[in-house]
Amino acid sequence: MLIYWNHKFDYRVLLSLATLFLAAISAPVHGEDLNVHQVVENVWMVQGVPEELSEENRGDISNSSFIATGNGVVVIDTGATAAYGRRFREAISEYTDEPIRWVINTHHHPDHIFGNSAFSDVPIMALSETRNLLMKHGDFYLKTVHERVGRYSEDTVVILPSVTVEGGVKSFSGYPLKLIRFSGHSGNDLVVYDPLKKILFAGDMLFWNRAPTTPHSPGIDIWLEEIDRLAELNPAVVIPGHGPLARDSGPIEQTRAWLVWLDSLMREGVAAGRSANALIDSDIPELLSDIPMAKFELTRSISHFYRKYEDSWWENSNR
């Protein structure tokens, strides 16, 4: 676009440019820049980018969702920062007039839970151990978010879930949601299933077009068994913790394929006497190699998992 300089309009041009500049350097407070998708009538998902936390992406890397039940809004995960939480609330108000009445945290990882800073006025639900882990490690996670996200996380604080749940069907003023307790991804994972619309809000139990993170997984074998249980729900729509929504089993199949390959790679590596560094340089199968963050997550998974595979191999060999 060409701007023709005219002394009569100097002030207006300068004011416009100044406004744009200030908007660019300030943490946004409105929801219009979020990647909102309508899933079905009265259900929406906000999609994050397939990256690690950074100042460039403002920490907007995970998915959040909301359901207008007819008697209030249920929010599922709140993002990584207070700024995101405020933008998320603004976005919700643009799609429904219903008040926000409930928040559900799927697990304790910072990219899903620190947006609680903007939702402290409503009940926040989570598994009891999720609350305990956030109480124990929240300050450390918050320090990491501040370091990586910078000015976009300045007023983010630790807000603990205020209501603990342990699974089962729960009525949200007449709107039923099935809460299912798993552990494969983080040790304490709460999956939400909408039986009326067959929508699976999987949290980080499932990833889609983004390599899975595994730092707190109790074991790939546990995760794979639980993925099979998720598949038995036969959902019409899957909302993963990261990546686009799917109207098929894509996130289930891709997450399973990644974990099966990762497990085989480490088992075969131990049996062959290969080092962790050698495995990190392994070629990723063509079907999985184009997934964002694949090499990064392979490196991270080998770094924290491989010793367990080595120890297990030696224990079995000495029997």
Side-chain angles (χ1 to χ4, degrees):
M1 180 180 71
L2 295 177
I3 298 178
Y4 293 97
W5 197 258
N6 184 317
H7 73 279
K8 293 182 179 179
F9 297 99
D10 285 0
Y11 175 77
R12 293 181 182 179
V13 171
L14 289 173
L15 183 61
S16 297
L17 291 175
T19 300
L20 290 172
F21 176 75
L22 289 173
I25 66 172
S26 301
V29 295
H30 298 296
E32 67 271 7
D33 62 330
L34 295 180
N35 189 9
V36 181
H37 301 268
Q38 182 156 17
V39 182
V40 296
E41 185 180 5
N42 296 329
V43 180
W44 296 263
M45 181 196 83
V46 183
Q47 183 180 334
V49 296
E51 299 172 1
E52 276 291 281
L53 294 168
S54 70
E55 189 165 355
E56 288 72 25
N57 60 39
R58 297 174 290 183
D60 300 352
I61 65 170
S62 64
N63 294 341
S64 302
S65 301
F66 60 102
I67 305 167
T69 68
N71 292 299
V73 172
V74 178
V75 169
I76 302 172
D77 283 342
T78 59
T81 66
Y84 177 93
R86 290 192 296 271
R87 289 153 57 212
F88 187 20
R89 291 193 75 143
E90 180 73 17
I92 292 170
S93 70
E94 293 167 3
Y95 289 91
T96 177
D97 294 330
E98 295 181 27
I100 297 169
R101 294 187 58 193
W102 308 275
V103 170
I104 299 173
N105 291 153
T106 60
H107 61 296
H108 69 284
H109 287 168
D111 53 319
H112 293 262
I113 207 164
F114 280 139
N116 286 2
S117 298
F119 291 90
S120 59
D121 59 321
V122 296
I124 301 175
M125 303 176 184
L127 295 171
S128 58
E129 190 58 22
T130 294
R131 187 182 191 278
N132 293 339
L133 287 167
L134 187 60
M135 187 184 304
K136 183 177 181 180
H137 301 294
D139 289 340
F140 172 76
Y141 294 151
L142 185 60
K143 182 175 181 290
T144 300
V145 170
H146 286 323
E147 289 173 350
R148 296 185 182 182
V149 182
R151 59 201 171 97
Y152 294 107
S153 66
E154 287 176 351
D155 57 347
T156 303
V157 297
V158 178
I159 298 295
L160 296 175
S162 54
V163 178
T164 57
V165 294
E166 297 302 326
V169 177
K170 181 173 178 59
S171 175
F172 293 82
S173 290
Y175 194 99
L177 291 174
K178 186 175 184 179
L179 309 181
I180 311 171
R181 181 173 188 159
F182 290 112
S183 64
H185 168 68
S186 71
N188 292 273
D189 300 283
L190 188 62
V191 165
V192 181
Y193 182 64
D194 183 336
L196 298 178
K197 298 178 179 177
K198 299 194 69 176
I199 301 172
L200 178 64
F201 303 87
D204 279 4
M205 283 294 295
L206 297 176
F207 289 69
W208 180 223
N209 294 338
R210 199 279 189 201
T213 62
T214 61
H216 297 122
S217 172
I220 292 177
D221 55 337
I222 295 171
W223 198 342
L224 285 170
E225 185 273 330
E226 291 176 346
I227 286 177
D228 289 340
R229 288 164 57 195
L230 285 177
E232 292 173 359
L233 293 170
N234 193 28
V237 181
V238 178
I239 299 177
H242 296 260
L245 67 90
R247 301 186 187 278
D248 56 26
S249 62
I252 294 173
E253 300 307 324
Q254 189 180 81
T255 305
R256 180 191 284 126
W258 177 271
L259 294 175
V260 166
W261 167 71
L262 184 62
D263 179 66
S264 297
L265 178 70
M266 289 188 286
R267 289 182 187 280
E268 294 169 6
V270 168
R274 300 181 67 193
S275 68
N277 286 338
L279 283 192
I280 286 171
D281 290 332
S282 299
D283 292 331
I284 299 173
E286 184 177 355
L287 192 65
L288 302 171
S289 61
D290 290 336
I291 299 175
M293 305 298 294
K295 192 64 177 180
F296 177 86
E297 295 300 350
L298 170 62
T299 301
R300 191 155 67 158
S301 292
I302 295 295
S303 297
H304 76 259
F305 257 141
Y306 199 49
R307 179 62 182 271
K308 295 178 182 178
Y309 278 74
E310 289 178 321
D311 290 346
S312 177
W313 188 85
W314 281 109
E315 287 176 9
N316 292 331
S317 297
N318 293 329
R319 288 178 182 174

